[in-house]
Every structure is written in C-alpha cells, then in structure tokens.
Amino acid sequence: MSVFEGGRSAVVTGAAGGIGLAVARACLGRGMRVTLADRDGERLEAVAVALASEAPDRVAQAVCDVADPASVEHLREVALAAHGPVDLLVNNAGIGRASKPWGDRAAWEATLGVNLWGVLNGLAVFVPGMMAGGREGAVVNLGSKQGITNPPGNAAYNVSKAGVKAVTEQLAWEFRQVPGGRLSAHLLVPGFTWTGMTGTGDRPEGAWTADQVAARMIEGVEAGAFYIICPDNEVDWATDRRRIAWGAGDLTEGRPALSRWHPDWAEAFGAYPGP
Ligand code: NAI
C-alpha cells in the first residue's frame, strides 16, 4: 500500500506555486484528492481552477495563513468536508528573508511564524485526527540544508528550518511509539530549486525544478526514508554528506562555529575527504 494511491486525500500548504504546486500536481497525477492551501488567494484560485480542469472533483482549496492556528483549523474543515480523512499532510509553506542574529524583530517573527509555527500549527491541527483515524498516512515537513549546515547570512531562516528538523525527528519518534502505528514522518530537504522563492526568469543550470523535488519526495516516502535530501544540478549527495559531516565535526572535534566558512579552516575543509 502507498499513501499516494488513487482516491486518498492530501493537504498541501503553500500550494499556489513552487514546490507545493508541484507536489499537488504529482499527487493528482497519482489519482489522489488534494486540498490546496495558500495565503495568496488570487494565485490559489487560478491554480485550483487549472488543476480542477484536469482532475474534476479531486481539487479543493482554502485560503489559509499557516501562521494562524484558526486559519489552519479552517483548512482542516475544508479538507475533511471535500475529501474525508487526511492521509498525507505536506507542510510546505515557507518564506525566506535576510536576517542577522540581532535586530529586525519583524523579519524574525514573520520567518518563525510561517516556517516554524506554520509547521507546528499543521501538526497540532491534523495529527491528532490522523492518529485517531488509524489509517496509513504520512506527514512531510519542508526542511532545508540551511537548517542542517547553518550557512552564514540568514539566521532566522536557518533557525526556523533547524526547528522544523528537530520537531520532525520528534514526530517520527512519537509515531514509532504507537503500537501498530501506520503513520510516518519525513523531512523533505530540497537542494537549490527554481521557484518564486529563489528567482524569476530562466532556471539556472544548477537548479532543480520543483517537479524533480516532488518526484523525489514521493520516491523517498514510498521507500520509507525519513531524511529525503535532494541534490541539485551542482551539489550531489557526496558533497552534501561531506558538508553535513564536517558541520557535525565542529562539535565533536572542538572547531570554531561554522568553521567551513572560517579562513583558518579552509585548507582543512578542502582536504576533508568526507565520512
Ligand atoms: P515559493 O515562494 O515558490 O512558494 C511558497 C508558497 O507558500 C507561495 O505560494 C506562498 O504564497 C505560500 N506561503 C507563504 N507564506 C504562507 C503562509 N503564511 N500561509 C500559507 N501559504 C504561504 O517557495 P518554494 O521554493 O516553493 O518553497 C517551498 C518550501 O521549500 C519552503 O518551505 C522553502 O523554505 C523550502 N525550500 C525551498 C528551497 C528552494 O531552493 N526553492 C530550498 C530548500 C527549502
């Protein structure tokens, strides 16, 4: 059995564009019924009309700000009324804003509100019902390599995605504690993906398409992978693996924070073969 089987119900946040839209399209392509959520009502309406023309009766929509618990509750009501119990929840909505570790409280609040509280609201609203239903199901949260290796320059975004990683790991553990539990949790980590978040115009050669990320997500969930880490056309898994292990080594080897970006450690990182 796969959660992506025809007739099953998916909820995707941030579905009016980018990766969320690609995930929604991929789920519809598998015959699923999908509830699209986005805070941008105009783009959501346009996308819902286009998708429904190819999959009549299988597309529902809710204007929803994931940062607002009442709005996410409304999304759940729409999804249940349209398609019945939710089998797949994809907490995808996210924003990126430049921020430093100090100041600009508005950027911090907006980023944590959408990227971290948005995921927490999704879990609080949907998971109890998914657990009580006893059906096979999956929760996919959108992480980021920035939440793992913490590159300098966007502190709030990195903190939000590190939080998503931590809570998704906790969720996986909780699901494992349920005797005969049929729910799984997954952290989807896109590489550089060409979407509204990363730019406009022609896709750079290094970037993956959102459709490639969606396909990899389905492949990863079906294979039972928890960490679904996508490469892109410039960064392969060997490179990611080396960067992740080097970052963990800052702690275990007593190096300075973010030594990968420290001039005194450039040579050592360059020579590091990886785990
Ligand atoms: P995008 O900007 O193309 O799409 C995000 C969608 O979320 C938009 O339709 C937007 O209106 C919606 N949204 C924003 N705030 C919302 C809110 N409060 N409530 C409901 N909807 C909201 O971005 P993209 O690239 O598709 O990002 C999707 C997810 O993937 C995000 O969580 C992002 O952090 C993550 N990601 C993206 C990467 C990339 O290279 N594009 C890399 C790593 C992670």
Side-chain angles (χ1 to χ4, degrees), residues 14 19 38-39 43 64-66 92 143 157 161 191 193 195-196:
I19 294 167
D38 206 287
R39 75 171 166 194
R43 278 193 307 128
C64 166
D65 177 357
V66 296
N92 163 79
Y157 184 81
K161 293 297 184 180
T193 310
T195 67

Side-chain angles (χ1 to χ4, degrees), residues 2 32 39 54 69 82 87 96 103-104 122 142 149 152 172 187 193-194 204-205 214 248 255 272:
S2 161
M32 295 182 80
R39 75 171 166 194
E54 290 159 32
D87 300 308
D104 201 351
L142 266 284
T149 58
L187 185 72
T193 310
W194 200 235
E205 273 180 22
R255 293 191 293 257
Y272 176 58

Side-chain angles (χ1 to χ4, degrees), residues 12-22 37-41 43-44 62-68 71-72 91-96 110 113-115 118-119 141-146 157 160-161 164 188-199 207-208 210 213 232:
V12 184
T13 68
I19 294 167
L21 174 56
D38 206 287
R39 75 171 166 194
D40 183 336
R43 278 193 307 128
L44 180 67
V63 178
C64 166
D65 177 357
V66 296
D68 172 10
S71 188
V72 181
N91 283 312
N92 163 79
I95 58 170
V114 178
N115 295 6
V119 171
N141 293 334
L142 266 284
S144 165
K145 292 174 192 178
Q146 291 186 226
Y157 184 81
S160 72
K161 293 297 184 180
V164 170
L188 175 62
V189 181
F192 175 30
T193 310
W194 200 235
T195 67
M197 182 180 279
T198 43
W208 259 24
V213 174
D232 54 44

Side-chain angles (χ1 to χ4, degrees), residues 13-223:
T13 68
I19 294 167
L21 174 56
V23 166
R25 224 191 266 119
C27 291
L28 288 168
R30 299 285 289 250
M32 295 182 80
R33 294 174 293 166
V34 179
T35 305
L36 314 163
D38 206 287
R39 75 171 166 194
D40 183 336
E42 250 175 61
R43 278 193 307 128
L44 180 67
E45 173 67 20
V47 157
V49 167
L51 293 179
S53 72
E54 290 159 32
D57 303 331
R58 289 198 284 122
V59 179
Q61 74 199 77
V63 178
C64 166
D65 177 357
V66 296
D68 172 10
S71 188
V72 181
E73 187 57 52
H74 165 70
L75 165 63
R76 178 169 165 274
E77 281 160 18
V78 170
L80 289 179
H83 299 317
V86 174
D87 300 308
L88 171 69
L89 170 65
V90 184
N91 283 312
N92 163 79
I95 58 170
R97 286 217 195 149
S99 56
K100 288 205 175 293
W102 62 87
D104 201 351
R105 193 178 173 93
W108 274 87
E109 284 184 351
T111 305
L112 294 182
V114 178
N115 295 6
L116 183 55
W117 275 107
V119 171
L120 296 174
N121 289 335
L123 299 182
V125 165
F126 285 97
V127 167
M130 291 173 81
M131 289 184 93
R135 294 158 63 91
E136 182 196 20
V139 176
V140 179
N141 293 334
L142 266 284
S144 165
K145 292 174 192 178
Q146 291 186 226
I148 301 172
T149 58
N150 200 12
N154 200 342
Y157 184 81
N158 294 10
V159 167
S160 72
K161 293 297 184 180
V164 170
K165 170 179 174 286
V167 77
T168 312
E169 290 167 345
Q170 294 287 321
L171 183 69
W173 184 87
E174 294 286 352
F175 285 162
R176 285 206 301 268
Q177 307 317 299
V178 179
R182 300 173 73 206
L183 296 179
S184 60
H186 309 266
L187 185 72
L188 175 62
V189 181
F192 175 30
T193 310
W194 200 235
T195 67
M197 182 180 279
T198 43
T200 51
D202 291 344
R203 176 170 57 93
E205 273 180 22
W208 259 24
T209 65
D211 290 334
Q212 284 177 290
V213 174
R216 179 58 64 95
M217 182 199 90
I218 292 179
E219 196 179 289
V221 172
E222 288 191 325

